[in-house]
Amino acid sequence: MKKYFPVYVRVPLLIALFYGLVEYFVDSGDQPAIVKFPELLILIALFVFVLIAIEITASASKSIMNQLMSPEERAERERLENLPLSEQVWFKKMMAKLTKSKSIEDEKSIELDHDYDGIKELDNDLPPWWVYLFYVTIIFGVIYLGKYHLFGGDNQLVELEKDIAKAELEIEEYKKTAPDLLTVENVVYLTEAADLAAGKAIYDQNCVACHAVDGGGGIGPNLTDNHWILGGDIKDIFTTISEGGRDGKGMVPWKAQIKPSDIQKVASYVKSLVGTTPANPKAAEGDLHVEDTSVTETTEEAPATEQPTEEIAS
Ligand code: HEC
């Protein structure tokens, strides 16, 4: 046996098997059992300890035996250990137990008296390996009956419903951070208190290091004055936060970490800071932003383009 499973195969195999059983039988939801219940590590360590103790004891007793044996006995033992698998004593014993077959020489003892024109019948035992398998199916049947028919285990339909419910929860979870349909085209300045509070939370978490808690500025520019390097319109602020500032200035694109609808909230919060008085304001940088809506822009431009046509006409 040892020849086919040397210690460096046997020990890791048993440890893996034990660990597998622990993971299989301990109900720990999505996490591995040893993450959820670190106490299990003690159990596994104990198992490894016992396993190694057994190995050490076995190999020690073997070497003691070796020393007590005469050279002939030792040689005999070595010979037995190195026989091919089918000749090994334990293997022969195991096969005899599993098959209970009679060798041809012994057939006389199980012969029945039937004789049909010289064809005789033997009274063989059922092969035990087959009978054991049959017992296993009986035990399985009893457990199955108990679990699903007496104690109300989930049938396939219930399992499916549970899986669907779980998947739906996961979808909700995914939606929280997934990119949404908001783009710079439909960004608007949110003024609802709840949105601004959500924006402030994002700001406090990501932006204070460079823009200060109150927006007064630091590494990044002051966000409370109405001067903007990259534009003070809500769409400009949205783009700055989502795509980052000018190269090498230190304002990274945040779109990888913050989803568009949240960028809209933090952009609105930043815009709402304009006009507040921070503790240590940084000097204003960039151009003064004049709030004009795109509607007024087009109405201003419209007469300007129309006028020349009128002049030509008149
Ligand atoms: C690592 C430092 C740093 C962090 C963190 C940071 N910024 Fe900036 N931010 C800057 C710098 C530097 C600039 C100037 C960029 C430039 O000059 O192009 C800037 C520019 C800006 C601007 C444009 C200002 C203007 O005058 O046009 C806005 C708006 C802004 N940041 C918002 C934010 C928000 C919101 C966050 C958090 C999600 C954030 N920043 C996080 C460094 C940072």
Side-chain angles (χ1 to χ4, degrees), residues 106-141:
D106 296 340
E107 254 174 18
K108 267 266 170 291
S109 64
I110 52 167
E111 206 175 280
L112 298 175
D113 337 322
H114 307 162
D115 189 336
Y116 305 99
D117 297 336
I119 299 172
K120 292 174 184 167
E121 199 180 342
L122 296 180
D123 183 20
N124 272 311
D125 278 335
L126 288 173
W129 66 263
W130 186 87
V131 178
Y132 295 152
L133 221 74
F134 183 58
Y135 294 153
V136 169
T137 63
I138 293 176
I139 294 169
F140 176 85

mmCIF file of all heavy atoms in Angstrom, residues 106-141:
data_model
loop_
_atom_site.group_PDB
_atom_site.id
_atom_site.type_symbol
_atom_site.label_atom_id
_atom_site.label_comp_id
_atom_site.label_asym_id
_atom_site.label_seq_id
_atom_site.Cartn_x
_atom_site.Cartn_y
_atom_site.Cartn_z
ATOM 1 N N ASP A 106 -11.304 -25.328 -6.243
ATOM 2 C CA ASP A 106 -12.294 -25.528 -5.184
ATOM 3 C C ASP A 106 -13.722 -25.660 -5.710
ATOM 4 O O ASP A 106 -14.658 -25.785 -4.934
ATOM 5 C CB ASP A 106 -12.273 -24.347 -4.204
ATOM 6 C CG ASP A 106 -10.936 -24.268 -3.498
ATOM 7 O OD1 ASP A 106 -10.233 -25.303 -3.479
ATOM 8 O OD2 ASP A 106 -10.599 -23.191 -2.989
ATOM 9 N N GLU A 107 -13.875 -25.606 -7.002
ATOM 10 C CA GLU A 107 -15.238 -25.531 -7.552
ATOM 11 C C GLU A 107 -16.117 -26.701 -7.125
ATOM 12 O O GLU A 107 -17.316 -26.522 -6.934
ATOM 13 C CB GLU A 107 -15.194 -25.443 -9.075
ATOM 14 C CG GLU A 107 -15.520 -24.040 -9.566
ATOM 15 C CD GLU A 107 -15.342 -23.908 -11.059
ATOM 16 O OE1 GLU A 107 -15.307 -24.934 -11.755
ATOM 17 O OE2 GLU A 107 -15.235 -22.756 -11.517
ATOM 18 N N LYS A 108 -15.511 -27.809 -6.929
ATOM 19 C CA LYS A 108 -16.288 -29.001 -6.549
ATOM 20 C C LYS A 108 -17.180 -28.732 -5.342
ATOM 21 O O LYS A 108 -18.313 -29.195 -5.274
ATOM 22 C CB LYS A 108 -15.331 -30.168 -6.217
ATOM 23 C CG LYS A 108 -15.044 -31.075 -7.397
ATOM 24 C CD LYS A 108 -16.024 -32.260 -7.366
ATOM 25 C CE LYS A 108 -16.003 -33.113 -8.612
ATOM 26 N NZ LYS A 108 -16.537 -32.459 -9.809
ATOM 27 N N SER A 109 -16.660 -27.927 -4.384
ATOM 28 C CA SER A 109 -17.387 -27.722 -3.138
ATOM 29 C C SER A 109 -18.682 -26.943 -3.329
ATOM 30 O O SER A 109 -19.556 -26.989 -2.470
ATOM 31 C CB SER A 109 -16.494 -27.003 -2.124
ATOM 32 O OG SER A 109 -16.190 -25.715 -2.607
ATOM 33 N N ILE A 110 -18.826 -26.181 -4.416
ATOM 34 C CA ILE A 110 -20.076 -25.423 -4.593
ATOM 35 C C ILE A 110 -20.891 -25.923 -5.775
ATOM 36 O O ILE A 110 -21.826 -25.275 -6.221
ATOM 37 C CB ILE A 110 -19.798 -23.913 -4.771
ATOM 38 C CG1 ILE A 110 -18.760 -23.693 -5.867
ATOM 39 C CG2 ILE A 110 -19.376 -23.254 -3.464
ATOM 40 C CD1 ILE A 110 -18.674 -22.243 -6.306
ATOM 41 N N GLU A 111 -20.530 -27.081 -6.243
ATOM 42 C CA GLU A 111 -21.258 -27.607 -7.394
ATOM 43 C C GLU A 111 -22.630 -28.127 -6.962
ATOM 44 O O GLU A 111 -22.754 -28.803 -5.935
ATOM 45 C CB GLU A 111 -20.438 -28.735 -8.008
ATOM 46 C CG GLU A 111 -20.721 -28.941 -9.473
ATOM 47 C CD GLU A 111 -19.768 -29.992 -10.041
ATOM 48 O OE1 GLU A 111 -18.601 -29.635 -10.329
ATOM 49 O OE2 GLU A 111 -20.190 -31.148 -10.153
ATOM 50 N N LEU A 112 -23.689 -27.795 -7.703
ATOM 51 C CA LEU A 112 -25.023 -28.338 -7.418
ATOM 52 C C LEU A 112 -25.172 -29.675 -8.146
ATOM 53 O O LEU A 112 -24.424 -29.959 -9.085
ATOM 54 C CB LEU A 112 -26.093 -27.356 -7.894
ATOM 55 C CG LEU A 112 -26.051 -25.983 -7.200
ATOM 56 C CD1 LEU A 112 -27.059 -25.041 -7.832
ATOM 57 C CD2 LEU A 112 -26.339 -26.136 -5.718
ATOM 58 N N ASP A 113 -26.162 -30.458 -7.721
ATOM 59 C CA ASP A 113 -26.265 -31.788 -8.352
ATOM 60 C C ASP A 113 -26.914 -31.721 -9.727
ATOM 61 O O ASP A 113 -27.067 -32.733 -10.382
ATOM 62 C CB ASP A 113 -27.082 -32.803 -7.506
ATOM 63 C CG ASP A 113 -27.122 -32.429 -6.068
ATOM 64 O OD1 ASP A 113 -26.071 -31.949 -5.603
ATOM 65 O OD2 ASP A 113 -28.187 -32.600 -5.431
ATOM 66 N N HIS A 114 -27.366 -30.552 -10.129
ATOM 67 C CA HIS A 114 -27.970 -30.486 -11.474
ATOM 68 C C HIS A 114 -26.932 -30.828 -12.512
ATOM 69 O O HIS A 114 -25.808 -30.360 -12.433
ATOM 70 C CB HIS A 114 -28.488 -29.065 -11.768
ATOM 71 C CG HIS A 114 -29.397 -28.548 -10.719
ATOM 72 N ND1 HIS A 114 -29.685 -27.201 -10.583
ATOM 73 C CD2 HIS A 114 -30.086 -29.193 -9.751
ATOM 74 C CE1 HIS A 114 -30.488 -27.047 -9.560
ATOM 75 N NE2 HIS A 114 -30.754 -28.228 -9.036
ATOM 76 N N ASP A 115 -27.356 -31.574 -13.454
ATOM 77 C CA ASP A 115 -26.456 -31.911 -14.561
ATOM 78 C C ASP A 115 -27.288 -32.033 -15.815
ATOM 79 O O ASP A 115 -28.079 -32.956 -15.950
ATOM 80 C CB ASP A 115 -25.731 -33.225 -14.237
ATOM 81 C CG ASP A 115 -24.631 -33.503 -15.242
ATOM 82 O OD1 ASP A 115 -24.730 -32.973 -16.382
ATOM 83 O OD2 ASP A 115 -23.686 -34.223 -14.888
ATOM 84 N N TYR A 116 -27.188 -31.077 -16.681
ATOM 85 C CA TYR A 116 -27.977 -31.107 -17.921
ATOM 86 C C TYR A 116 -27.045 -31.451 -19.057
ATOM 87 O O TYR A 116 -26.302 -30.568 -19.515
ATOM 88 C CB TYR A 116 -28.635 -29.752 -18.181
ATOM 89 C CG TYR A 116 -29.474 -29.263 -17.038
ATOM 90 C CD1 TYR A 116 -28.976 -28.343 -16.132
ATOM 91 C CD2 TYR A 116 -30.775 -29.738 -16.872
ATOM 92 C CE1 TYR A 116 -29.735 -27.895 -15.093
ATOM 93 C CE2 TYR A 116 -31.542 -29.295 -15.827
ATOM 94 C CZ TYR A 116 -31.034 -28.377 -14.939
ATOM 95 O OH TYR A 116 -31.776 -27.937 -13.906
ATOM 96 N N ASP A 117 -27.089 -32.660 -19.455
ATOM 97 C CA ASP A 117 -26.224 -33.115 -20.546
ATOM 98 C C ASP A 117 -24.799 -32.635 -20.350
ATOM 99 O O ASP A 117 -24.189 -32.065 -21.244
ATOM 100 C CB ASP A 117 -26.743 -32.582 -21.904
ATOM 101 C CG ASP A 117 -28.116 -33.132 -22.203
ATOM 102 O OD1 ASP A 117 -28.440 -34.208 -21.646
ATOM 103 O OD2 ASP A 117 -28.860 -32.481 -22.965
ATOM 104 N N GLY A 118 -24.322 -32.775 -19.135
ATOM 105 C CA GLY A 118 -22.923 -32.415 -18.869
ATOM 106 C C GLY A 118 -22.711 -30.976 -18.483
ATOM 107 O O GLY A 118 -21.626 -30.575 -18.104
ATOM 108 N N ILE A 119 -23.771 -30.127 -18.580
ATOM 109 C CA ILE A 119 -23.625 -28.735 -18.143
ATOM 110 C C ILE A 119 -24.001 -28.671 -16.677
ATOM 111 O O ILE A 119 -25.109 -29.047 -16.297
ATOM 112 C CB ILE A 119 -24.525 -27.798 -18.971
ATOM 113 C CG1 ILE A 119 -24.116 -27.880 -20.438
ATOM 114 C CG2 ILE A 119 -24.422 -26.371 -18.446
ATOM 115 C CD1 ILE A 119 -25.060 -27.136 -21.358
ATOM 116 N N LYS A 120 -23.048 -28.172 -15.852
ATOM 117 C CA LYS A 120 -23.301 -28.175 -14.415
ATOM 118 C C LYS A 120 -23.481 -26.760 -13.905
ATOM 119 O O LYS A 120 -23.090 -25.792 -14.561
ATOM 120 C CB LYS A 120 -22.142 -28.862 -13.690
ATOM 121 C CG LYS A 120 -22.088 -30.339 -14.003
ATOM 122 C CD LYS A 120 -20.863 -30.953 -13.408
ATOM 123 C CE LYS A 120 -20.803 -32.425 -13.829
ATOM 124 N NZ LYS A 120 -19.475 -32.967 -13.524
ATOM 125 N N GLU A 121 -24.046 -26.676 -12.704
ATOM 126 C CA GLU A 121 -24.316 -25.340 -12.150
ATOM 127 C C GLU A 121 -23.539 -25.158 -10.849
ATOM 128 O O GLU A 121 -23.462 -26.081 -10.039
ATOM 129 C CB GLU A 121 -25.815 -25.209 -11.879
ATOM 130 C CG GLU A 121 -26.269 -23.792 -11.738
ATOM 131 C CD GLU A 121 -27.771 -23.719 -11.457
ATOM 132 O OE1 GLU A 121 -28.478 -24.716 -11.710
ATOM 133 O OE2 GLU A 121 -28.209 -22.670 -10.970
ATOM 134 N N LEU A 122 -22.996 -23.941 -10.639
ATOM 135 C CA LEU A 122 -22.268 -23.646 -9.401
ATOM 136 C C LEU A 122 -23.132 -22.768 -8.509
ATOM 137 O O LEU A 122 -23.888 -21.929 -8.999
ATOM 138 C CB LEU A 122 -20.963 -22.912 -9.698
ATOM 139 C CG LEU A 122 -19.915 -23.674 -10.505
ATOM 140 C CD1 LEU A 122 -18.682 -22.807 -10.699
ATOM 141 C CD2 LEU A 122 -19.540 -24.982 -9.801
ATOM 142 N N ASP A 123 -23.011 -22.959 -7.207
ATOM 143 C CA ASP A 123 -23.777 -22.142 -6.260
ATOM 144 C C ASP A 123 -22.865 -21.051 -5.696
ATOM 145 O O ASP A 123 -22.474 -21.066 -4.538
ATOM 146 C CB ASP A 123 -24.314 -23.037 -5.139
ATOM 147 C CG ASP A 123 -25.171 -22.247 -4.176
ATOM 148 O OD1 ASP A 123 -25.648 -21.144 -4.567
ATOM 149 O OD2 ASP A 123 -25.361 -22.718 -3.035
ATOM 150 N N ASN A 124 -22.529 -20.057 -6.551
ATOM 151 C CA ASN A 124 -21.664 -18.967 -6.099
ATOM 152 C C ASN A 124 -22.423 -18.009 -5.190
ATOM 153 O O ASN A 124 -23.627 -17.786 -5.361
ATOM 154 C CB ASN A 124 -21.143 -18.177 -7.302
ATOM 155 C CG ASN A 124 -19.863 -18.752 -7.852
ATOM 156 O OD1 ASN A 124 -18.923 -19.016 -7.087
ATOM 157 N ND2 ASN A 124 -19.822 -18.979 -9.165
ATOM 158 N N ASP A 125 -21.679 -17.393 -4.232
ATOM 159 C CA ASP A 125 -22.281 -16.302 -3.449
ATOM 160 C C ASP A 125 -22.414 -15.075 -4.345
ATOM 161 O O ASP A 125 -21.659 -14.904 -5.293
ATOM 162 C CB ASP A 125 -21.352 -15.926 -2.291
ATOM 163 C CG ASP A 125 -21.547 -16.891 -1.128
ATOM 164 O OD1 ASP A 125 -22.644 -17.475 -1.042
ATOM 165 O OD2 ASP A 125 -20.602 -17.040 -0.335
ATOM 166 N N LEU A 126 -23.367 -14.238 -3.993
ATOM 167 C CA LEU A 126 -23.410 -12.940 -4.687
ATOM 168 C C LEU A 126 -22.101 -12.227 -4.381
ATOM 169 O O LEU A 126 -21.649 -12.251 -3.241
ATOM 170 C CB LEU A 126 -24.562 -12.096 -4.149
ATOM 171 C CG LEU A 126 -25.964 -12.535 -4.554
ATOM 172 C CD1 LEU A 126 -26.988 -11.694 -3.802
ATOM 173 C CD2 LEU A 126 -26.160 -12.390 -6.040
ATOM 174 N N PRO A 127 -21.502 -11.576 -5.362
ATOM 175 C CA PRO A 127 -20.238 -10.901 -5.067
ATOM 176 C C PRO A 127 -20.464 -9.781 -4.035
ATOM 177 O O PRO A 127 -21.323 -8.930 -4.234
ATOM 178 C CB PRO A 127 -19.805 -10.302 -6.403
ATOM 179 C CG PRO A 127 -20.859 -10.634 -7.378
ATOM 180 C CD PRO A 127 -21.918 -11.464 -6.739
ATOM 181 N N PRO A 128 -19.693 -9.823 -2.935
ATOM 182 C CA PRO A 128 -19.952 -8.841 -1.877
ATOM 183 C C PRO A 128 -19.874 -7.385 -2.345
ATOM 184 O O PRO A 128 -20.637 -6.553 -1.866
ATOM 185 C CB PRO A 128 -18.859 -9.151 -0.863
ATOM 186 C CG PRO A 128 -18.557 -10.587 -1.069
ATOM 187 C CD PRO A 128 -18.720 -10.823 -2.536
ATOM 188 N N TRP A 129 -18.962 -7.061 -3.287
ATOM 189 C CA TRP A 129 -18.896 -5.649 -3.714
ATOM 190 C C TRP A 129 -20.244 -5.186 -4.252
ATOM 191 O O TRP A 129 -20.671 -4.061 -4.043
ATOM 192 C CB TRP A 129 -17.786 -5.433 -4.761
ATOM 193 C CG TRP A 129 -18.026 -6.123 -6.084
ATOM 194 C CD1 TRP A 129 -17.525 -7.317 -6.472
ATOM 195 C CD2 TRP A 129 -18.828 -5.647 -7.168
ATOM 196 N NE1 TRP A 129 -17.945 -7.657 -7.721
ATOM 197 C CE2 TRP A 129 -18.756 -6.643 -8.180
ATOM 198 C CE3 TRP A 129 -19.601 -4.522 -7.409
ATOM 199 C CZ2 TRP A 129 -19.433 -6.520 -9.397
ATOM 200 C CZ3 TRP A 129 -20.259 -4.407 -8.623
ATOM 201 C CH2 TRP A 129 -20.183 -5.395 -9.595
ATOM 202 N N TRP A 130 -20.922 -6.111 -4.903
ATOM 203 C CA TRP A 130 -22.218 -5.782 -5.495
ATOM 204 C C TRP A 130 -23.275 -5.648 -4.398
ATOM 205 O O TRP A 130 -24.097 -4.724 -4.399
ATOM 206 C CB TRP A 130 -22.586 -6.895 -6.469
ATOM 207 C CG TRP A 130 -23.828 -6.637 -7.258
ATOM 208 C CD1 TRP A 130 -23.931 -5.967 -8.423
ATOM 209 C CD2 TRP A 130 -25.144 -7.047 -6.895
ATOM 210 N NE1 TRP A 130 -25.222 -5.915 -8.832
ATOM 211 C CE2 TRP A 130 -26.007 -6.566 -7.919
ATOM 212 C CE3 TRP A 130 -25.706 -7.763 -5.832
ATOM 213 C CZ2 TRP A 130 -27.370 -6.780 -7.899
ATOM 214 C CZ3 TRP A 130 -27.068 -7.971 -5.828
ATOM 215 C CH2 TRP A 130 -27.892 -7.487 -6.846
ATOM 216 N N VAL A 131 -23.200 -6.573 -3.417
ATOM 217 C CA VAL A 131 -24.164 -6.522 -2.313
ATOM 218 C C VAL A 131 -23.979 -5.221 -1.523
ATOM 219 O O VAL A 131 -24.947 -4.547 -1.172
ATOM 220 C CB VAL A 131 -23.971 -7.747 -1.396
ATOM 221 C CG1 VAL A 131 -24.928 -7.692 -0.213
ATOM 222 C CG2 VAL A 131 -24.208 -9.019 -2.190
ATOM 223 N N TYR A 132 -22.699 -4.832 -1.282
ATOM 224 C CA TYR A 132 -22.459 -3.590 -0.541
ATOM 225 C C TYR A 132 -23.065 -2.404 -1.276
ATOM 226 O O TYR A 132 -23.665 -1.514 -0.687
ATOM 227 C CB TYR A 132 -20.953 -3.346 -0.356
ATOM 228 C CG TYR A 132 -20.280 -4.389 0.502
ATOM 229 C CD1 TYR A 132 -18.935 -4.701 0.332
ATOM 230 C CD2 TYR A 132 -20.997 -5.064 1.491
ATOM 231 C CE1 TYR A 132 -18.318 -5.663 1.102
ATOM 232 C CE2 TYR A 132 -20.379 -6.035 2.264
ATOM 233 C CZ TYR A 132 -19.045 -6.334 2.069
ATOM 234 O OH TYR A 132 -18.447 -7.278 2.834
ATOM 235 N N LEU A 133 -22.910 -2.419 -2.586
ATOM 236 C CA LEU A 133 -23.461 -1.321 -3.386
ATOM 237 C C LEU A 133 -24.976 -1.239 -3.195
ATOM 238 O O LEU A 133 -25.552 -0.163 -3.082
ATOM 239 C CB LEU A 133 -23.156 -1.588 -4.863
ATOM 240 C CG LEU A 133 -22.723 -0.374 -5.656
ATOM 241 C CD1 LEU A 133 -21.294 -0.019 -5.277
ATOM 242 C CD2 LEU A 133 -22.800 -0.659 -7.135
ATOM 243 N N PHE A 134 -25.574 -2.423 -3.127
ATOM 244 C CA PHE A 134 -27.009 -2.500 -2.927
ATOM 245 C C PHE A 134 -27.397 -1.906 -1.566
ATOM 246 O O PHE A 134 -28.342 -1.123 -1.452
ATOM 247 C CB PHE A 134 -27.427 -3.982 -3.025
ATOM 248 C CG PHE A 134 -28.899 -4.204 -2.901
ATOM 249 C CD1 PHE A 134 -29.773 -3.591 -3.780
ATOM 250 C CD2 PHE A 134 -29.412 -5.040 -1.918
ATOM 251 C CE1 PHE A 134 -31.136 -3.795 -3.663
ATOM 252 C CE2 PHE A 134 -30.777 -5.244 -1.800
ATOM 253 C CZ PHE A 134 -31.637 -4.626 -2.676
ATOM 254 N N TYR A 135 -26.599 -2.239 -0.519
ATOM 255 C CA TYR A 135 -26.864 -1.648 0.807
ATOM 256 C C TYR A 135 -26.754 -0.130 0.740
ATOM 257 O O TYR A 135 -27.559 0.590 1.335
ATOM 258 C CB TYR A 135 -25.871 -2.178 1.845
ATOM 259 C CG TYR A 135 -26.019 -3.669 2.136
ATOM 260 C CD1 TYR A 135 -24.938 -4.417 2.567
ATOM 261 C CD2 TYR A 135 -27.246 -4.296 1.991
ATOM 262 C CE1 TYR A 135 -25.058 -5.773 2.836
ATOM 263 C CE2 TYR A 135 -27.376 -5.655 2.249
ATOM 264 C CZ TYR A 135 -26.287 -6.383 2.667
ATOM 265 O OH TYR A 135 -26.425 -7.716 2.915
ATOM 266 N N VAL A 136 -25.741 0.330 -0.012
ATOM 267 C CA VAL A 136 -25.543 1.786 -0.111
ATOM 268 C C VAL A 136 -26.789 2.442 -0.714
ATOM 269 O O VAL A 136 -27.255 3.478 -0.234
ATOM 270 C CB VAL A 136 -24.292 2.116 -0.950
ATOM 271 C CG1 VAL A 136 -24.230 3.606 -1.277
ATOM 272 C CG2 VAL A 136 -23.030 1.700 -0.196
ATOM 273 N N THR A 137 -27.363 1.815 -1.732
ATOM 274 C CA THR A 137 -28.557 2.419 -2.334
ATOM 275 C C THR A 137 -29.713 2.435 -1.338
ATOM 276 O O THR A 137 -30.500 3.378 -1.316
ATOM 277 C CB THR A 137 -29.007 1.680 -3.602
ATOM 278 O OG1 THR A 137 -29.373 0.342 -3.247
ATOM 279 C CG2 THR A 137 -27.939 1.662 -4.657
ATOM 280 N N ILE A 138 -29.786 1.415 -0.479
ATOM 281 C CA ILE A 138 -30.866 1.394 0.522
ATOM 282 C C ILE A 138 -30.674 2.553 1.503
ATOM 283 O O ILE A 138 -31.607 3.324 1.781
ATOM 284 C CB ILE A 138 -30.888 0.052 1.285
ATOM 285 C CG1 ILE A 138 -31.288 -1.069 0.307
ATOM 286 C CG2 ILE A 138 -31.874 0.116 2.458
ATOM 287 C CD1 ILE A 138 -31.258 -2.446 0.917
ATOM 288 N N ILE A 139 -29.420 2.715 1.969
ATOM 289 C CA ILE A 139 -29.162 3.802 2.918
ATOM 290 C C ILE A 139 -29.461 5.153 2.263
ATOM 291 O O ILE A 139 -30.110 6.018 2.837
ATOM 292 C CB ILE A 139 -27.691 3.741 3.388
ATOM 293 C CG1 ILE A 139 -27.479 2.461 4.193
ATOM 294 C CG2 ILE A 139 -27.340 4.963 4.227
ATOM 295 C CD1 ILE A 139 -26.034 2.158 4.486
ATOM 296 N N PHE A 140 -29.018 5.296 1.013
ATOM 297 C CA PHE A 140 -29.291 6.532 0.287
ATOM 298 C C PHE A 140 -30.793 6.788 0.214
ATOM 299 O O PHE A 140 -31.270 7.900 0.459
ATOM 300 C CB PHE A 140 -28.701 6.445 -1.126
ATOM 301 C CG PHE A 140 -29.016 7.629 -1.979
ATOM 302 C CD1 PHE A 140 -28.222 8.767 -1.925
ATOM 303 C CD2 PHE A 140 -30.120 7.632 -2.826
ATOM 304 C CE1 PHE A 140 -28.518 9.874 -2.697
ATOM 305 C CE2 PHE A 140 -30.427 8.734 -3.600
ATOM 306 C CZ PHE A 140 -29.621 9.864 -3.534
ATOM 307 N N GLY A 141 -31.536 5.711 -0.116
ATOM 308 C CA GLY A 141 -32.985 5.844 -0.242
ATOM 309 C C GLY A 141 -33.622 6.313 1.054
ATOM 310 O O GLY A 141 -34.490 7.193 1.055
#
